[in-house]
Amino acid sequence: MKNKLISLEDAVARIPDGASLLIGGFMAVGGPNRLVDELIRQGKRDLTIIANDTARPNNGLGKLVVEKLVRRVVTSHIGLNPETQKQMIAGAIEVELVPQGTLAERIRAGGVGLGGVLTATGVGTIVEEGKRTVEIDGVTYLLEMPIKADFALVAAKQADLYGNLTYALTARNFNPLMAMAGATVIAEAEDILPVGCIPPDAVMTPSVLVDYIVAATPR
Amino acid sequence: MDEKTLIAKRVALELMDGDLVNLGIGLPTLVARYVPPGRHVFFQSENGIVGMSGPITGAENHDLTDAGGSPISALPGAASFDSAFSFGLIRGGHLDVTVLGGLQVDREGRLANWMVPGKMVPGMGGAMDLVTGARRVIVAMQHSAKGEAKIVERCVLPLTSVRRVDLVVTDLAVIEPTDAGLVLKETAPGVTVEQVIANTGCELIVAPDLRSMPIEG
């Protein structure tokens, strides 16, 4: 079996300009913040980012926006990153705002091979514009399409050398969903452990989904 | 007592023993401080926990925050999960109460609270799912802003959901949207019906059993 544990530099070098990236985290909590910093150092551009929020200008993936490396964002909240709003109003960045629960389910659908999601969220609001509606038992739902991406960048509490992952508390958030929906999955882990150290019941993302592991802190 | 405290105290009376409750960022967060004694309420944060404390200082854990990014702690008996599960609780009818702020509420009881076109586009975050999916939606807001009524005939701001909210609690009144329209149920201590009507942008039906908010000064 190939060695999944690679250097930060090697991991990010695999990501081309113009790539679509699912990035875990909620206001940068549980975000792969070292991978993000390396994207900036390597100057990757024209990125499409799918993430819960664009954090703050000086924090997590918020910095990608400030560095003008992002072309398009699919997200539920940009309110704490004025730079995203500024670039959106200036037309420099395309922003698709998606209700948070819908975003989670669209990514889940992408990862588990479903053709879409039916949700009542957004019916009768501007979120409905351009979407098909379906009526089931008298309730109107929007058809929301699945999301996949070239890469998923996730942050884990623990990884073993096979790539089994655990997450801590609210740092879990979108990470396990994204680990299923990225064609290539790079996990940044705080603790990297020998195989067998994480009990099967504790694994939250099975190793078969993970392509590369990098250490969250320099070693 | 300041206006925000009054609103938070009144909203807290709506929370029942055993309820699962989601509090929005800002004013709604204050509600957690005033849960009546003897009622145990489980607070959810949509970034993935049931059983959170309020914001804490000291003993911060960088893996544990509320939806605004403020450090919290997990109380004994708490459970954590991913975002899809968290919104499954919200959308699936498992959440008893959500308390959110508001920009406008209209005569049909519909809420707008996520953007002001051309001025402020923060995004809806979890608000649309919360208003659509929670069993009970309570709006906690100032009755008017900069002299303009926030309770209006029809929302001009983009709606959060077409679902009718269940209760609106402001610094002046408690209002219940119904089939017949907005019913004025309670006035704040020292506030008259005339004052409430003068600060409201649409017709109010005064409840026959109108009372003063049961809040001690």
Side-chain angles (χ1 to χ4, degrees), chain B residues 85-137:
Chain B
F85 185 94
S86 196
F87 279 88
L89 287 176
I90 291 166
R91 216 191 295 98
H94 311 284
L95 182 69
D96 295 298
V97 181
T98 183
V99 183
L100 301 99
L103 295 170
Q104 288 182 327
V105 174
D106 70 18
R107 197 172 159 184
E108 290 179 51
R110 298 182 308 183
L111 170 68
N113 80 341
W114 70 280
M115 75 177 282
V116 181
K119 282 190 185 163
M120 180 192 82
V121 191
M124 67 291 279
M128 285 191 172
D129 299 282
L130 285 159
V131 177
T132 304
R135 289 196 186 163
R136 207 149 177 262
V137 177

Side-chain angles (χ1 to χ4, degrees), chain B:
Chain B
M1 187 183 336
D2 66 59
E3 295 169 349
K4 288 180 178 178
T5 305
L6 175 76
I7 295 168
K9 282 189 171 181
R10 179 61 192 87
V11 170
L13 298 179
E14 297 295 312
L15 307 183
M16 298 299 149
D17 193 41
D19 275 356
L20 175 59
V21 177
N22 186 299
L23 302 177
I25 300 304
L27 196 167
T29 307
L30 300 176
V31 172
R33 295 185 195 171
Y34 304 111
V35 176
R39 297 184 201 173
H40 186 92
V41 172
F42 294 89
F43 288 106
Q44 178 202 29
S45 188
E46 63 268 27
N47 52 328
I49 189 165
V50 163
M52 65 183 277
S53 70
I56 57 162
T57 48
E60 290 96 343
N61 178 337
H62 71 276
D63 289 328
L64 185 54
T65 63
D66 66 15
S70 300
I72 55 171
S73 62
L75 300 172
S80 58
F81 32 76
D82 68 49
S83 295
F85 185 94
S86 196
F87 279 88
L89 287 176
I90 291 166
R91 216 191 295 98
H94 311 284
L95 182 69
D96 295 298
V97 181
T98 183
V99 183
L100 301 99
L103 295 170
Q104 288 182 327
V105 174
D106 70 18
R107 197 172 159 184
E108 290 179 51
R110 298 182 308 183
L111 170 68
N113 80 341
W114 70 280
M115 75 177 282
V116 181
K119 282 190 185 163
M120 180 192 82
V121 191
M124 67 291 279
M128 285 191 172
D129 299 282
L130 285 159
V131 177
T132 304
R135 289 196 186 163
R136 207 149 177 262
V137 177
I138 300 176
V139 178
M141 65 178 194
Q142 303 281 338
H143 204 91
S144 49
K146 295 173 189 150
E148 277 199 46
K150 295 174 73 173
I151 299 172
V152 294
E153 184 66 30
R154 198 167 181 83
C155 290
V156 294
L157 298 174
L159 293 177
T160 305
S161 171
V162 291
R163 180 250 179 93
R164 185 166 79 199
V165 304
D166 297 281
L167 204 65
V168 182
V169 178
T170 76
D171 49 318
L172 300 185
V174 175
I175 291 168
E176 184 182 8
T178 68
D179 285 340
L182 299 177
V183 177
L184 175 59
K185 307 271 288 186
E186 297 176 14
T187 50
V191 173
T192 65
V193 171
E194 290 69 30
Q195 280 175 294
V196 176
I197 289 172
N199 285 283
T200 302
C202 66
E203 191 190 325
L204 290 178
I205 301 162
V206 179
D209 57 347
L210 177 80
R211 62 174 185 169
S212 183
M213 281 187 201
I215 303 284
E216 303 282 318

Side-chain angles (χ1 to χ4, degrees), chain A residues 62-193:
Chain A
K63 291 186 271 188
L64 292 174
V65 178
V66 173
E67 297 291 330
K68 298 191 163 60
L69 303 177
V70 180
R71 182 176 58 81
R72 180 173 145 76
V73 187
V74 181
T75 189
S76 78
H77 200 260
I78 59 174
L80 295 173
N81 192 336
E83 185 63 22
T84 314
Q85 299 198 48
K86 207 170 94 187
Q87 291 183 28
M88 178 177 75
I89 290 162
I93 190 170
E94 188 189 332
V95 177
E96 179 184 347
L97 289 171
V98 181
Q100 199 167 114
T102 300
L103 184 64
E105 283 301 319
R106 287 179 65 189
I107 295 165
R108 199 182 73 84
V112 302
L114 297 176
V117 176
L118 297 177
T119 177
T121 302
V123 169
T125 74
I126 60 180
V127 167
E128 181 178 327
E129 286 171 14
K131 289 176 186 155
R132 276 181 274 178
T133 57
V134 177
E135 195 178 308
I136 296 173
D137 292 340
V139 181
T140 303
Y141 297 92
L142 298 187
L143 173 59
E144 293 280 6
M145 304 308 277
I147 294 176
K148 293 193 221 185
D150 301 327
F151 291 84
L153 310 185
V154 301
K157 178 72 179 169
Q158 301 171 309
D160 69 20
L161 289 170
Y162 278 174
N164 287 307
L165 306 179
T166 72
Y167 310 97
L169 299 163
T170 59
R172 188 179 336 183
N173 57 69
F174 279 74
N175 284 299
L177 309 170
M178 290 177 167
M180 292 198 82
T184 297
V185 176
I186 305 174
E188 170 180 321
E190 280 183 36
D191 302 322
I192 296 173
L193 307 168

